[in-house]
Amino acid sequence: LAQELFEQERQGSAAESQAAGESAVRAAMLNAGTCKVKAKWNLRSFTIGPPHIRRIIQVLTEWPKGNQIAAVGFSRFEAEIEPQLQDLFIRCFSDVLQPQHGKPMKHRRRRELRHSVGNSEMAEAKKPSMFLEDVQLPSEELQRSAFPLEEILSRNILWLVVMSVCKVDLTPAPGGMGQEKAQSIGSTAHALDILISAMERSSLLSSLLLRSSHLRDGAGQLLSVAVSRCPSLRELDLSDNHLGPKAVAKLLQA
């Protein structure tokens, strides 16, 4: 089903894609028959864009056998995804908060991921679980060793992380002698806008670290509005930025 949908999205026109998608869903329904299995939908090899998200939502909410999908895995997204579509996408998945695991994710192999997805407790839930690589979301925290800021930005998953993780560290990597300037929220185009939009819609975010993020007064005032609209937020670290007295006052009032 995944291969059929994405190959047609990549190669065909919009009309052909819709026809192929409907055909794939019908074929999957016929093939499923009376088989009662919990399926794993692995989309980690794809860059997910708006048409793919709409198709995923359709399969999970409208396909009669959609409730047999226990887990869906993702890796990266396209840059331009509307907030409304982001919200609809996240609502398709379980909102059960996953505990933090002590084992570093960078040492977990892909076969362990398959095992973890296959044994997910979400198999008994009404909604499937969402996996970002080998991390089940929503989660208490992401390991910086696996998801540093540069990785979050390159995968276009900033909105997903802010809306699905409680403790988010977006501090840039420390720069070294002769190295290029590290990416930061303040120095990366549109990153601040994406962050603020996600903050205002997040009900999980409790801690946000933005140290050394090249944020100035304008960013501070925008953040103050987002903070006032994010009641779950309890910790905000803005140390080593370039915030003036007015921006600081706005943040304190928020």
Side-chain angles (χ1 to χ4, degrees):
L1 175 60
Q3 289 289 347
E4 175 74 12
L5 294 178
F6 281 90
E7 284 300 312
Q8 291 295 334
E9 291 282 4
R10 184 174 62 86
Q11 298 177 2
S13 65
E16 291 171 341
S17 297
Q18 182 176 358
E22 293 172 353
S23 175
V25 171
R26 286 196 300 270
M29 291 171 62
L30 290 172
N31 291 336
T34 58
C35 182
K36 297 181 179 179
V37 297
K38 290 297 181 180
K40 297 168 288 185
W41 198 1
N42 184 2
L43 301 177
R44 289 171 299 181
S45 60
F46 301 104
T47 299
I48 307 298
H52 312 132
I53 290 181
R54 294 188 186 97
R55 190 76 75 224
I56 291 165
I57 293 171
Q58 179 188 21
V59 169
L60 295 180
T61 60
E62 299 179 17
W63 182 33
K65 299 292 183 179
N67 59 0
Q68 293 184 4
I69 299 175
V72 187
F74 303 96
S75 178
R76 61 182 63 248
F77 292 78
E78 291 182 4
E80 301 295 332
I81 298 176
E82 296 179 355
Q84 184 179 8
L85 194 56
Q86 295 172 4
D87 291 342
L88 292 173
F89 174 76
I90 288 180
R91 288 174 195 159
C92 289
F93 298 94
S94 169
D95 59 359
V96 177
L97 185 64
Q98 300 302 309
Q100 183 179 357
H101 300 285
K103 189 175 181 181
M105 290 182 290
K106 63 180 180 179
H107 297 309
R108 295 178 66 186
R109 301 182 182 275
R110 191 164 291 273
R111 62 173 176 269
E112 291 179 272
L113 168 60
R114 291 196 296 269
H115 179 76
S116 66
V117 174
N119 290 280
S120 170
E121 293 180 358
M122 300 310 300
E124 298 179 1
K126 292 183 179 179
K127 294 182 179 181
S129 58
M130 181 197 306
F131 279 81
L132 177 61
E133 290 294 352
D134 62 348
V135 181
Q136 187 173 346
L137 299 178
S139 178
E140 184 71 22
E141 190 173 6
L142 291 182
Q143 295 283 349
R144 274 183 61 87
S145 58
F147 292 99
L149 176 61
E150 291 80 3
E151 192 72 15
I152 290 173
L153 294 175
S154 68
R155 292 172 182 252
N156 295 310
I157 56 173
L158 179 58
W159 61 273
L160 180 63
V161 170
V162 173
M163 295 181 69
S164 304
V165 179
C166 295
K167 300 177 181 178
V168 178
D169 188 350
L170 300 178
T171 304
M177 292 294 292
Q179 293 183 348
E180 293 185 5
K181 188 176 180 181
Q183 285 184 291
S184 68
I185 293 297
S187 65
T188 304
H190 307 300
L192 182 62
D193 294 336
I194 295 171
L195 170 63
I196 288 172
S197 174
M199 287 177 64
E200 293 177 347
R201 292 175 289 126
S202 176
S203 60
L204 285 176
L205 185 64
S206 62
S207 174
L208 178 60
L209 307 185
L210 289 167
R211 296 186 298 268
S212 306
S213 294
H214 302 95
L215 300 175
R216 300 186 179 277
D217 282 357
Q221 295 189 31
L222 291 173
L223 279 170
S224 68
V225 176
V227 169
S228 67
R229 297 175 180 175
C230 185
S232 61
L233 189 65
R234 293 292 177 266
E235 177 186 15
L236 177 63
D237 188 344
L238 292 169
S239 56
D240 194 25
N241 281 289
H242 309 285
L243 303 175
K246 291 184 179 180
V248 173
K250 288 277 189 181
L251 285 162
L252 290 175
Q253 291 173 3

